[in-house]
Amino acid sequence: QVQLVESGGGPVQAGGSLRLSCAASKYSNRRKCMGWFRQAPGKKREAVAAIYTGDSTAYYADSVKGRFTVSQDNTKNTVYLQMNSLKSEDTAMYYCAVDFGYRCSSSWYGGADFEVWGQGTQVTVSS
C-alpha cells in the first residue's frame, strides 16, 4: 500500500511563504488525484487543494485561491503545496491524501474519496 509522508511545515510569520511536500513511499504510475487538506484545533477538516496527476489539473478551495499553488513532480512521485501570503487562519495541520479514482471527483473537497492519508505536517502562522 502506498504511504504518504508530508514535510515542509513549521512556524512562519504572516505574509510569509512555505512549501509543503508529499512524497509517496512506493512508486505508482497510476493516474490519481492527490489532495491537500487541513485541520485546525477544534475545527472540522477543510479541503485546500487537489491535483489530478494525469494532466496536472488543479483545484482550490476559495479560501486559498490566488495564494496557494499545487504542483507535482512525477519523477520524484511528489506533490507540492506552495503557500504564499500566509495568514494566521492558515494555521493548521496539513495532510495529503490520494484518491486512485480516474480523476478528482466533483466532490473531492469532502475528502471521502481519498483512500490513503499521510500523518500531517504542522503549519503555524504568527501575526
Side-chain angles (χ1 to χ4, degrees), residues 1-124:
Q1 180 175 339
V2 172
Q3 291 183 323
L4 305 175
V5 179
E6 302 96 334
S7 61
V12 62
Q13 290 193 334
S17 298
L18 281 175
R19 189 178 79 157
L20 306 184
S21 300
C22 173
S25 62
K26 294 182 180 180
Y27 173 74
S28 170
N29 60 3
R30 290 176 59 182
R31 298 176 179 181
K32 52 193 175 288
C33 180
M34 297 293 298
W36 285 98
F37 296 81
R38 66 188 182 187
Q39 187 166 20
K43 295 188 177 181
K44 292 183 178 180
R45 184 181 64 199
E46 177 187 17
V48 176
I51 185 168
Y52 172 57
T53 63
D55 59 11
S56 297
T57 300
Y59 307 83
Y60 298 96
D62 288 343
S63 59
V64 305
K65 278 182 182 176
R67 299 190 298 124
F68 290 11
T69 303
V70 60
S71 62
Q72 62 171 337
D73 185 338
N74 285 334
T75 65
K76 298 180 179 179
N77 216 24
T78 299
V79 173
Y80 303 98
L81 184 68
Q82 177 67 44
M83 306 186 297
N84 299 328
S85 303
L86 283 161
K87 306 175 181 179
S88 57
E89 51 263 44
D90 294 318
T91 294
M93 184 72 80
Y94 283 70
Y95 301 90
C96 69
V98 60
D99 168 13
F100 287 110
Y102 178 64
R103 297 189 68 91
C104 295
S105 73
S106 59
S107 60
W108 70 269
Y109 47 87
D113 294 323
F114 291 85
E115 301 159 55
V116 179
W117 294 76
Q119 293 299 307
T121 184
Q122 177 68 38
V123 172
T124 303

